[in-house]
Amino acid sequence: MLTGKYLRLYNNLKTLIPKERLIYDELRTLAFGTDAGFYRLIPQLVIKVETEDEVALVIQNAAELNLPITFRAAGTSLSGQAITDSVLVMLGSNWRDYKILDDGNKILMQPGVIGAYANTYLAIYNKKLGPDPASINSAMIAGIAANNASGMTSGTKNNIYNTLAGMKIVFADGSVLNTNDERSQEAFRKINKNLLDKVIALSQKVKANPNLAERIKHKYRMKNTTGYSLNALVEFDDPFDIIIHLMIGSEGTLGFISEITLNTVPELPNKATSLMLFKDIETACKAIPIFQKMPVDAAEIMDRAALRSVENKPGMPEELKTLNENAAALLVETSSETLDGLNHNIELIISSIEQLPKEHPVKFITDPIAAKKLWDVRKGLFPSACKSREPGTTVIIEDINFPVEALANAALDLQALFKKYNYLENIIWGHSLAGNLHFVLSQDFSDEREVKRYKDFMEDLAILVVEKYDGSLKAEHGTGRNMAPYVKYEWGEEAYELMKEIKQIFDPQNILNPGVILNDDSTIHLKNLKPMPIAHPIIDQCIECGFCEVNCPSKNVTIAPRQRIVSYREIARLKRSGNDPYKLKHLQNDYQYYGNETCAVDGLCAVSCPVDINTGSLIKELRNTNNRKTANTIADLVAGNMSFFTASAKYALNTVHFFHKVLGDRIMTSVARVKKKIFGQNFPMWNKYMPKGADGIKIVKQKESQLKVVYFPSCISRSMGITKDYGSDDSLTTVTIRLLKKAGYQILFPDNLNELCCGMAFSSKGFFKQGDKKSTELYEKLLEVSNHGKYPILFDTSPCTYHFKNYLAALNGKAKCILIITEPIDFIYDNLLDKLDIKKMKEPITIHSTCSSTKMGLPNKFKQLAESLSEKVIVPLEVGCCGWAGDRGFSHPELNESALENLKDSIPDDCTKGYSTSRTCEIGLSLHSGLNYKSIIYLVDECSTAKYI
Ligand SMILES: Cc1cc2nc3c(=O)[nH]c(=O)nc-3n(C[C@H](O)[C@H](O)[C@H](O)COP(=O)(O)OP(=O)(O)OC[C@H]3O[C@@H](n4cnc5c(N)ncnc54)[C@H](O)[C@@H]3O)c2cc1C
Ligand code: SF4
Ligand code: SF4
């Protein structure tokens, strides 16, 4: 409930920003308020901003009321800098524009561009961004800039500070500066002369103090994100240069970054990777000063515990499992313009460390797929390591930097410190080429003694890093609240005063993310610690990193997987404590729509989760628990009478189709809207891509053939046929049968086909018992018809294939034999292409990989298949799960609409054909693209003629 100044802010903004983007309910303020760090503050008001004008408005209104605001990009920050108990200003979905400049040498980006996407845009120019945090697949460019995040290859040379070419900023007074625009600079000189004068004066003051200037230069020879980027004051004279470089690492405390231009760095075409295994961490660290003089792009250190946490991941070498107890590894990359150059690099590197004892001889791999696996494992190392922590404990990640010459000793000292404080379950890894070490501790904050242990450990750590090695306490994760108490300790009084002056110049009212970077409270790092209550085994290992959010179809309409987990945890905590039944009831009520009903249960979140959490599985469990007796009885009835229900569905679809033909699109749409209004949320919403009933399957006697395939048409394909203006008169089943015959196959159908279903339709709604029953029935029939696995089995939709494959996998050795289950992409690519004459079409086409195809690792194969059929294939980069979710698109069309909001713009005007492999997803895709999406089977049939018969 908003009160006081927050209510006034809301009232001031509600006529300027749509109300649905002004959020203050308990569930979403908690969910959106959470970032990846181990602190918890819950905002009073969350504002999703979509334009620079809105940002300026929010800033001005908050300033008038003296209300603190905190900006939020992807929320993967680890040091408590992206949270607030006041106003959280989140980037909406409109900040993703970019422009490649100067033939790929520069890129201009809006703040919401995800780092990895920028690299995809730059790939055709053989360029990439300099900064490369392990979180690059999720982190947005504004967050990367505001944290001065870097990573494995960037070091200090290619970090965002050193690759910065321009910026557009909204300041605390609402004024805007675009350093790429002369006129904007001119205007700023007039309006904000005072700020510019103060910046110049501060810079001159530092330059006039050689000791301080030298100290600053020294500290930035290392990676350092403790405090503000004071090097900007020493390295630049132009006030605009100073300002934009001060913004780097300012963690949203100096202004809002609304555009950023970066110089890019070359992405060399030839790369080699080696996982070097050393006798111990000291030896591994000794290689680092040597590698600094070698053509080494990255050298990532991993101690024994780190290696143990990932030894079972795909792509990791077997020998990891048998290493000695003290061993350590360096994951090393080298690259070159030419192959000869690469081989030369490899020779140099191997011979440079000849004298260091190793566990295994050093070898480099050049296969990009195998190398990517190693790097992906390394990127997911931190969360993977967290998987083994005690449920209910918090994971703390630290990020320190030592001079590389001292790295070996420092690593040993660090290990001794863990022993002293009895932190035995820790891992050490990091970007050792730059002297950057990370470690994680598993910490219980529910106990005062434990909090004190952490506090004392931190004191000793600060002494070790600052006094003994003159290193930095935050190398790349930003100061946040976590290191704020130690900024003065690390930098000294004089430099700290400079930082306070900077804050005063940019934000005299102290409304931009106050308490972050500079904080007078010496115990702020021990306050507002995030509870991690045990909630459900499916999600207990979640570390709230946020890596799953990017894939989630509901992230822009309701909440994302991490937010589902956070709010579910809070519900579990309240249930257990019994302290606040009123709040619990509210959260539970809201969770029904935000958490449960709008989850597509597609499981795409698991694809990018480093600890393999499928939030959709949690939601399915909840649906199962929530299903009432009547619902279960109905599900039993449907499961036991599939043929009747598919026939009825066909009849209903044909009736609706008839009315569509007679009444036309407009009237049908209006009627559907009225009905939905009357009957409520769960009433299916008609749209013009609703199909008519499918053709019946005529099983006629076929010629005997050596080539046999079992065809299982899903219940969806058996009931849903073509739509108006489909471009074909035949249902998918008819086309599939035609195509298989054309390729010379004899088709076998399971007995009693009309009663069969893979079970997915039931289990996705939480009817596990009925789902299992249908899967088992199908299993028995497929065993029989495939002659116990002798013949391959083709499912015509990917989701059913995936579901059934999972059912088989869960049989866990109890399977009677191995069945070869395939879906259209796989089957056509592997079995049909060589049996057909294909005439490639000139027209461009677009394809959509379903979530199931993605989880089965098929997107590349799908693209290759499509490329064998059309000369131009478009795969929209920013379109993931379509959000149709079986039949949820009918009852919750907003999910599909939001998931596909970028689809239309991603498809060029000359492309009029779309293909996928799921009939229901195709309805949603058609609705939001205007193209009539069909199964890829149609296209193969259209482009092919028989080769053998
Ligand atoms: C598993 C894991 C691995 C990580 N690995 C690395 C790593 O290798 N290297 C590394 O450096 N970091 C790493 N991080 C930390 C984090 O991912 C990075 O710091 C990242 O850059 C944060 O980006 P974000 O989009 O999530 O920003 P957020 O967390 O949303 O915000 C970051 C900061 O920027 C501010 N901010 C957001 N938008 C704006 C804006 N438009 N204008 C001004 N300020 C703004 C916020 O207030 C906040 O202070 C990792 C995090 C996780 C969870
Ligand atoms: S579910 Fe996985 S990816 Fe998502 S926040 Fe939790 S740990 Fe991170
Ligand atoms: S299952 Fe899909 S909709 Fe549900 S949380 Fe995961 S990605 Fe989001």
Side-chain angles (χ1 to χ4, degrees):
M1 199 58 178
L2 287 173
T3 52
K5 285 188 193 178
Y6 293 103
L7 183 59
R8 278 166 62 198
L9 180 66
Y10 175 86
N11 284 333
N12 291 351
L13 293 175
K14 72 181 183 198
T15 50
L16 309 165
I17 294 177
K19 275 196 222 165
E20 58 273 17
R21 290 198 271 114
L22 301 173
I23 295 155
Y24 57 89
D25 59 89
E26 271 181 305
L27 187 135
R28 286 181 300 163
T29 46
L30 164 76
F32 293 139
T34 301
D35 74 358
F38 55 97
Y39 299 99
R40 154 79 32 86
L41 289 172
I42 303 175
Q44 300 283 327
L45 179 64
V46 176
I47 305 173
K48 285 197 180 183
V49 286
E50 293 291 9
T51 63
E52 198 176 271
D53 287 346
E54 286 183 359
V55 173
L57 265 174
V58 172
I59 293 179
Q60 281 159 346
N61 278 279
E64 260 169 43
L65 294 164
N66 210 16
L67 286 178
I69 55 178
T70 296
F71 305 122
R72 168 68 72 80
T76 65
S77 281
L78 293 163
S79 308
Q81 63 268 58
I83 54 169
T84 178
D85 54 5
S86 181
V87 180
L88 186 72
V89 181
M90 292 179 77
L91 292 179
S93 55
N94 258 355
W95 300 88
R96 289 187 300 254
D97 266 3
Y98 70 98
K99 208 189 259 173
I100 306 274
L101 306 169
D102 192 11
D103 213 15
N105 287 314
K106 283 193 175 117
I107 179 168
L108 180 149
M109 289 162 280
Q110 283 196 309
V113 171
I114 291 175
Y117 287 4
N119 283 341
T120 310
Y121 309 140
L122 288 165
I124 48 166
Y125 301 90
N126 291 326
K127 300 281 175 171
K128 61 178 179 180
L129 299 180
D132 59 343
S135 52
I136 196 158
N137 289 341
S138 301
M140 295 174 180
I141 200 66
I144 296 175
N147 279 355
N148 195 4
S150 52
M152 298 182 275
T153 57
S154 55
T156 46
K157 184 167 157 236
N158 291 330
N159 65 12
I160 203 156
Y161 178 97
N162 283 318
T163 53
L164 185 62
M167 196 184 278
K168 198 169 180 195
I169 306 164
V170 184
F171 289 90
D173 60 0
S175 62
V176 178
L177 164 69
N178 182 356
T179 63
N180 285 342
D181 178 355
E182 288 282 329
R183 276 177 313 178
S184 170
Q185 292 195 15
E186 209 40 58
F188 197 81
R189 273 194 197 97
K190 286 186 192 135
I191 302 165
N192 270 332
K193 185 173 177 312
N194 195 18
L195 187 145
L196 292 178
D197 288 345
K198 284 182 178 167
V199 166
I200 294 169
L202 200 63
S203 164
Q204 286 170 347
K205 183 166 104 180
V206 178
K207 286 171 191 148
N209 181 341
N211 286 344
L212 183 57
E214 187 39 49
R215 173 95 192 115
I216 292 170
K217 280 187 202 157
H218 167 76
K219 285 208 62 87
Y220 287 104
R221 286 189 195 111
M222 272 177 301
K223 278 186 162 194
N224 188 348
T225 57
T226 313
Y228 288 112
S229 297
L230 292 183
N231 43 345
L233 298 173
V234 186
E235 292 171 10
F236 300 97
D237 297 320
D238 178 285
F240 295 119
D241 280 336
I242 299 175
I243 288 173
I244 62 174
H245 286 88
L246 278 175
M247 288 295 292
I248 302 300
S250 64
E251 301 175 23
T253 64
L254 301 183
F256 177 85
I257 301 168
S258 74
E259 212 173 81
I260 187 160
T261 309
L262 296 183
N263 294 312
T264 58
V265 299
E267 174 76 315
L268 297 182
N270 300 291
K271 289 187 180 183
T273 295
S274 172
L275 185 67
M276 301 177 180
L277 302 168
F278 295 91
K279 146 172 133 13
D280 51 30
I281 196 162
E282 189 183 3
T283 318
C285 288
K286 281 184 180 158
I288 298 302
I290 305 172
F291 284 166
Q292 281 209 318
K293 296 180 199 110
M294 291 286 122
V296 168
D297 300 333
E300 295 290 302
I301 198 159
M302 291 175 259
D303 75 353
R304 185 69 186 93
L307 292 170
R308 200 173 291 114
S309 70
V310 294
E311 66 189 17
N312 290 321
K313 293 258 172 192
M316 294 308 272
E318 270 303 300
E319 54 262 33
L320 289 194
K321 294 179 187 149
T322 52
L323 289 175
N324 86 61
E325 274 312 291
N326 297 317
L330 288 177
L331 184 61
V332 173
E333 185 177 271
T334 179
S335 60
S336 169
E337 201 62 71
T338 63
L339 215 51
D340 283 349
L342 187 70
N343 288 331
H344 179 65
N345 287 356
I346 293 172
E347 273 172 34
L348 271 179
I349 294 167
I350 292 179
S351 62
S352 74
I353 49 162
E354 225 158 28
Q355 80 288 5
L356 295 178
K358 289 162 217 87
E359 289 286 281
H360 288 274
V362 172
K363 51 177 196 267
F364 276 85
I365 52 170
T366 50
D367 170 22
I369 296 173
K372 185 173 179 303
K373 277 191 185 149
L374 288 176
W375 287 103
D376 283 349
V377 169
R378 158 58 199 93
K379 283 185 198 169
L381 177 66
F382 154 49
S384 303
C386 301
K387 203 172 177 175
S388 54
R389 78 183 199 278
E390 268 304 293
T393 59
T394 299
V395 168
I396 293 172
I397 177 171
E398 289 301 344
D399 163 39
I400 48 187
N401 217 97
F402 298 107
V404 284
E405 319 77 58
L407 201 59
N409 288 337
L412 294 178
D413 282 343
L414 197 54
Q415 286 181 330
L417 206 59
F418 294 144
K419 269 208 187 107
K420 178 175 169 191
Y421 286 96
N422 211 22
Y423 282 118
L424 302 177
E425 301 294 318
N426 57 75
I427 66 162
I428 299 181
W429 81 103
H431 317 308
S432 44
L433 196 62
N436 181 195
L437 294 184
H438 297 305
F439 58 86
V440 290
L441 308 172
S442 179
Q443 175 72 49
D444 181 359
F445 281 129
S446 59
D447 178 337
E448 273 306 306
R449 271 181 317 181
E450 279 290 290
V451 176
K452 176 154 184 342
R453 174 166 75 130
Y454 173 64
K455 174 180 175 288
D456 293 345
F457 170 81
M458 286 299 285
E459 301 280 312
D460 267 4
L461 179 73
I463 294 170
L464 177 75
V465 175
V466 175
E467 299 296 339
K468 185 160 181 190
Y469 291 105
D470 196 13
S472 54
L473 282 162
K474 280 285 173 197
E476 56 176 22
H477 292 168
T479 311
R481 292 177 160 78
N482 180 238
M483 251 343 142
Y486 296 97
V487 177
K488 197 199 288 187
Y489 179 67
E490 179 177 327
W491 274 98
E493 189 74 45
E494 215 173 7
Y496 191 69
E497 282 309 309
L498 282 180
M499 293 186 192
K500 282 167 88 177
E501 281 183 65
I502 292 170
K503 176 70 175 169
Q504 178 64 24
I505 293 171
F506 280 77
D507 178 22
Q509 234 180 302
N510 197 22
I511 59 155
L512 300 181
N513 219 3
V516 161
I517 298 186
L518 305 178
N519 199 314
D520 291 336
D521 183 348
S522 64
T523 56
I524 189 67
H525 63 308
L526 305 171
K527 290 182 176 156
N528 306 307
L529 299 164
K530 191 195 261 182
M532 279 282 182
I534 295 173
H536 193 290
I538 294 179
I539 53 153
D540 280 341
Q541 296 304 334
C542 171
I543 52 156
E544 304 184 357
C545 65
F547 283 12
C548 49
E549 294 194 350
V550 64
N551 287 341
C552 178
S554 65
K555 64 177 183 293
N556 292 329
V557 66
T558 52
I559 56 177
R562 166 172 59 175
Q563 294 150 1
R564 290 196 161 88
I565 291 173
V566 169
S567 30
Y568 189 76
R569 279 180 165 159
E570 181 62 3
I571 289 171
R573 189 184 71 80
L574 288 173
K575 259 190 197 166
R576 199 168 306 124
S577 75
N579 281 347
D580 195 342
Y582 179 76
K583 183 175 172 191
L584 174 64
K585 193 154 176 278
H586 259 272
L587 289 181
Q588 282 175 320
N589 279 347
D590 283 354
Y591 200 81
Q592 182 56 21
Y593 177 68
Y594 294 116
N596 183 343
E597 286 174 18
T598 49
C599 173
V601 299
D602 53 282
L604 265 198
C605 36
V607 175
S608 53
C609 173
V611 288
D612 307 322
I613 290 172
N614 178 345
T615 309
S617 302
L618 171 75
I619 302 301
K620 280 193 215 170
E621 290 275 347
L622 300 184
R623 287 179 189 169
N624 180 37
T625 327
N626 291 349
N627 284 333
R628 296 217 192 92
K629 216 171 147 203
T630 358
N632 260 301
T633 313
I634 295 170
D636 281 339
L637 196 70
V638 177
N641 297 280
M642 279 304 284
S643 61
F644 171 76
F645 282 97
T646 40
S648 309
K650 259 162 70 166
Y651 176 76
L653 287 169
N654 279 334
T655 310
V656 175
H657 190 74
F658 170 77
F659 279 109
H660 180 197
K661 256 183 157 171
V662 175
L663 299 174
D665 294 350
R666 248 193 19 213
I667 299 180
M668 275 301 277
T669 309
S670 322
V671 172
R673 281 205 187 113
V674 172
K675 280 192 168 175
K676 190 149 179 73
K677 271 211 168 117
I678 297 170
F679 295 111
Q681 186 70 57
N682 290 323
F683 188 81
M685 179 72 187
W686 177 88
N687 70 64
K688 69 175 185 162
Y689 294 98
M690 285 262 263
K692 66 177 198 172
D695 307 339
I697 301 172
K698 294 179 204 78
I699 305 177
V700 288
K701 203 161 167 24
Q702 297 162 67
K703 267 199 305 189
E704 261 307 308
S705 165
Q706 293 286 80
L707 282 175
K708 289 187 176 52
V709 61
V710 174
Y711 173 29
F712 172 61
S714 70
C715 58
I716 296 289
S717 321
R718 298 196 312 264
S719 37
M720 289 188 172
I722 59 168
T723 54
K724 200 167 160 253
D725 309 323
Y726 204 53
S728 170
D729 293 333
D730 298 323
S731 296
L732 176 62
T733 48
T734 309
V735 179
T736 310
I737 292 170
R738 185 160 68 219
L739 180 67
L740 291 171
K741 283 187 177 168
K742 204 192 292 182
Y745 274 93
Q746 179 187 348
I747 307 168
L748 311 171
F749 290 95
D751 212 17
N752 210 9
L753 178 60
N754 286 337
E755 280 301 332
L756 298 179
C757 157
C758 69
M760 185 190 64
F762 296 93
S763 55
S764 66
K765 294 182 183 60
F767 296 110
F768 294 154
K769 186 184 71 164
Q770 295 83 349
D772 256 13
K773 176 175 178 279
K774 295 314 287 178
S775 304
T776 310
E777 270 173 28
L778 179 61
Y779 175 57
E780 295 295 338
K781 294 290 176 196
L782 291 179
L783 274 179
E784 202 178 294
V785 65
S786 70
N787 197 358
H788 281 73
K790 185 168 172 200
Y791 310 123
I793 301 161
L794 170 66
F795 282 47
D796 56 10
T797 52
S798 303
C800 302
T801 321
Y802 183 69
H803 179 81
F804 195 68
K805 278 187 168 187
N806 278 344
Y807 164 80
L808 292 181
L811 289 179
N812 256 341
K814 286 189 220 127
K816 295 178 186 160
C817 67
I818 295 172
L819 295 182
I820 308 160
I821 306 292
T822 64
E823 57 81 79
I825 301 165
D826 244 350
F827 190 77
I828 295 170
Y829 192 87
D830 295 341
N831 299 292
L832 296 194
L833 285 186
D834 61 339
K835 300 179 184 68
L836 296 165
D837 278 326
I838 303 282
K839 190 160 180 272
K840 241 186 186 187
M841 62 192 299
K842 292 221 170 338
E843 273 179 272
I845 62 164
T846 181
I847 57 169
H848 177 85
S849 250
T850 64
C851 305
S852 307
S853 309
T854 304
K855 288 183 285 187
M856 289 187 283
L858 290 171
N860 275 342
K861 208 170 199 181
F862 193 10
K863 186 158 179 259
Q864 284 165 12
L865 170 62
E867 281 167 350
S868 70
L869 304 167
S870 159
E871 294 197 346
K872 189 171 173 205
V873 175
I874 295 126
V875 186
L877 177 67
E878 294 184 30
V879 178
C881 169
C882 70
W884 192 267
D887 55 4
R888 208 146 282 258
F890 292 123
S891 59
H892 294 78
E894 67 278 25
L895 175 60
N896 175 239
E897 186 182 336
S898 160
L900 295 182
E901 65 182 5
N902 297 321
L903 180 63
K904 201 168 186 155
D905 289 345
S906 318
I907 304 173
D909 290 344
D910 63 341
C911 174
T912 57
K913 294 187 166 187
Y915 296 93
S916 189
T917 52
S918 158
R919 186 66 189 95
T920 49
C921 300
E922 284 151 25
I923 299 174
L925 290 160
S926 303
L927 185 61
H928 296 290
S929 64
L931 315 186
N932 233 318
Y933 272 73
K934 301 188 205 43
S935 165
I936 189 72
I937 297 174
Y938 281 86
L939 183 61
V940 184
D941 183 49
E942 194 183 325
C943 294
S944 64
T945 46
K947 209 177 213 175
Y948 299 126
I949 50 174

